Amino acid sequence: MDSLAVLWLLLLSSASMSALQLVAPDPKTLILPQGDKVDLDCKFMLDPEDTGTLDIEWSLVASDTQQTDQQILTFAGDKTYTMYDELKGRVHFVSLDPKSGDASIEIINLKQSDSGTYQCKVKKVPGVASKRITLSVLVKPAKTRCYVEGSQEIGRDFSLKCESKDGTTPLTYTWQKISGQDKNSPPVPLDATTGVLPVKNASKEYSGTYRCLSHNRVGSDECLLILNVAPPSNVAGKIAGAVIGTLLGLILLALIIFCCCRKQKEKKYEKEVQHEIREDVAPPKSRNSTARSYIGSNHSSLGSLSPSNMEGYSKAQYNKIPSEEFERPPSHAPNSVPSKVAGPNLSRMGAIPVMIPAQNKDGSVV
């Protein structure tokens, strides 16, 4: 029984040696930067006994065993099918004819989301073979910034800091002095994971140009910093100057506000005075109103006359008539009764004509 079992195993091993095989396997893990491209190798050899239809399948192995693998690229029936939307337009077979024995694929413009385990499976009945490749896509350090935290003065403590905004962790930092005194001296011990370079009791010799290098497994980036350690400045003088400048600014602002308010008050006062003058000045009397008032007064005076005082009133009225109205040459003086001559003039002046009875010289009525 033992000899039969050994013989059976030998037959199986010889059959597997002559079946479909994958050749020249690449490293199991690849680490590349984002934006680069990668070739995932999958070359195979067929056996004369492999007479079935050739099928090539690339898939992204699920990280969770409870999930199914995601098919990426398939070659079947002399046609290629792209199954994974995230890689559409970025993945293709390296060979134009995968049947020739090269099932390798190329992925361009790599992204961090492309990281994972990829499986190549070649099947041609009765032969079947597969392999897995792990791909890690990392981001290079970028946008590295250098700056000083603290006062760059002699005798002071401050820190040189370096940080990259982009880059897959872990990132490490290295400082180096590239100009100034002792530029080739070994750098001061620093925390390589944070990029902080502390400086204690600074002196003038620390002045110079420094370079910080940040790097990870796929790339590096750098920044430069010029450090100038100077003597302590007159802090009290600066504070006093700032206070005086602030006070002068406040005084100037107050003067401007005062002038504006005063100007507004003057404009308001001028408007009020002009308005009061317009209200106090009486409107001018017209000639018509004067004439009417004179005529009205004459009417009232005539209305209060009685027959007894009518003669005296008429004489008084005649005496008030301008002499130039009646002083005419004797040859042209009319023979009419004076009352008739004065009538038109009195009516023109607003008086009411009154008929006075004729009297004799002794005063009796005719």
Side-chain angles (χ1 to χ4, degrees), residues 197-216:
L197 177 62
V199 177
K200 302 293 184 181
N201 191 18
S203 62
K204 188 68 176 177
E205 288 72 19
Y206 282 90
S207 300
T209 303
Y210 292 77
R211 177 174 60 193
C212 175
L213 182 68
S214 63
H215 53 89
N216 60 9

Side-chain angles (χ1 to χ4, degrees), residues 66-303:
Q66 296 181 356
Q67 297 179 355
T68 58
D69 298 344
Q70 175 66 53
Q71 290 189 357
I72 298 174
L73 201 62
T74 300
F75 179 83
D78 294 336
K79 291 185 179 180
T80 302
Y81 303 92
T82 303
M83 316 294 292
Y84 190 38
D85 292 337
E86 293 294 328
L87 289 174
K88 275 188 176 180
R90 297 193 297 123
V91 61
H92 59 272
F93 283 105
V94 174
S95 175
L96 297 177
D97 185 14
K99 294 185 296 181
S100 61
D102 189 359
S104 304
I105 62 172
E106 181 183 57
I107 303 176
I108 61 174
N109 192 18
L110 289 172
K111 301 179 181 180
Q112 274 192 293
S113 58
D114 298 335
S115 299
T117 301
Y118 293 80
Q119 177 175 269
C120 173
K121 189 175 184 179
V122 181
K123 179 174 64 175
K124 189 170 185 180
V125 179
V128 177
S130 64
K131 63 177 296 187
R132 292 186 177 186
I133 302 174
T134 301
L135 174 65
S136 294
V137 181
L138 306 180
V139 178
K140 294 180 180 180
K143 300 179 182 179
T144 304
R145 185 171 69 99
C146 300
Y147 60 97
V148 180
E149 189 176 81
S151 180
Q152 303 178 43
E153 296 179 353
I154 295 175
R156 296 292 186 92
D157 297 341
F158 54 85
S159 298
L160 308 184
K161 291 193 173 183
C162 177
E163 61 179 0
S164 295
K165 291 188 176 181
D166 295 336
T168 304
T169 57
L171 294 174
T172 56
Y173 299 91
T174 303
W175 280 96
Q176 182 182 6
K177 190 175 182 181
I178 59 177
S179 71
Q181 296 184 9
D182 301 328
K183 66 177 183 179
N184 296 322
S185 61
V188 180
L190 76 155
D191 187 347
T193 59
T194 61
V196 178
L197 177 62
V199 177
K200 302 293 184 181
N201 191 18
S203 62
K204 188 68 176 177
E205 288 72 19
Y206 282 90
S207 300
T209 303
Y210 292 77
R211 177 174 60 193
C212 175
L213 182 68
S214 63
H215 53 89
N216 60 9
R217 290 181 291 176
V218 293
S220 62
D221 191 28
E222 66 178 27
C223 61
L224 298 177
L225 173 67
I226 298 176
L227 182 64
N228 185 19
V229 182
S233 58
N234 188 0
V235 179
K238 289 184 178 180
I239 295 175
V243 172
I244 293 173
T246 303
L247 291 176
L248 290 176
L250 293 175
I251 292 172
L252 179 61
L253 181 61
L255 288 174
I256 293 173
I257 295 174
F258 173 76
C259 293
C260 292
C261 294
R262 186 173 181 180
K263 191 69 175 178
Q264 292 293 333
K265 288 182 179 179
E266 290 178 356
K267 290 182 178 179
K268 184 177 180 182
Y269 176 74
E270 291 176 359
K271 290 181 180 179
E272 290 178 354
V273 170
Q274 292 177 1
H275 184 66
E276 290 177 359
I277 291 174
R278 292 194 203 99
E279 290 182 349
D280 293 342
V281 174
K285 293 182 179 180
S286 63
R287 294 182 179 180
N288 293 334
S289 61
T290 305
R292 290 193 188 97
S293 62
Y294 178 76
I295 293 171
S297 63
N298 288 337
H299 276 294
S300 62
S301 299
L302 292 173

Side-chain angles (χ1 to χ4, degrees), residues 38-78:
V38 63
D39 288 345
L40 302 182
D41 187 78
C42 184
K43 295 182 175 63
F44 61 92
M45 292 180 62
L46 296 175
D47 188 86
E49 296 182 0
D50 300 327
T51 58
T53 303
L54 177 65
D55 291 328
I56 301 173
E57 180 184 293
W58 277 94
S59 61
L60 183 60
V61 180
S63 57
D64 190 351
T65 56
Q66 296 181 356
Q67 297 179 355
T68 58
D69 298 344
Q70 175 66 53
Q71 290 189 357
I72 298 174
L73 201 62
T74 300
F75 179 83
D78 294 336

